[in-house]
Amino acid sequence: MKGGDYSEEDRLAYRKKLDSILAVCPAGAPQRVLDQVNRALEVAMEAHKGIARKSGGWYIEHPLEVARIVVEEMGLSYLALTCALLHDVVED
């Protein structure tokens, strides 16, 4: 396992991943909704900090991929996106 914290490069990559997911969402979401989604990413990253997958990547990559599927493949809402990011937080 990796252990430790995310590098700035990792943080930037995960922020860009979320931005690419948000780009698929309908335009015109209130700022409070966008703030909620961004906060969900921060909470998830903190909860999963130091946890790596067997593949060697950080665990946060899983909730981000679930969020991508929820938005891009299923066409669900910002609330579903937020839930996808947070779905494993309770465990960690």
Side-chain angles (χ1 to χ4, degrees), residues 17-18 21 46 59 76 81 89:
K17 175 76 172 177
L18 180 59
I21 294 167
E46 183 63 27
Y59 188 81
L76 297 179
L81 167 57
V89 166

Side-chain angles (χ1 to χ4, degrees), residues 20-39:
S20 71
I21 294 167
L22 286 169
V24 177
C25 291
Q31 187 59 49
R32 66 179 174 72
V33 171
L34 298 174
D35 290 346
Q36 181 182 41
V37 171
N38 285 304
R39 178 71 178 128

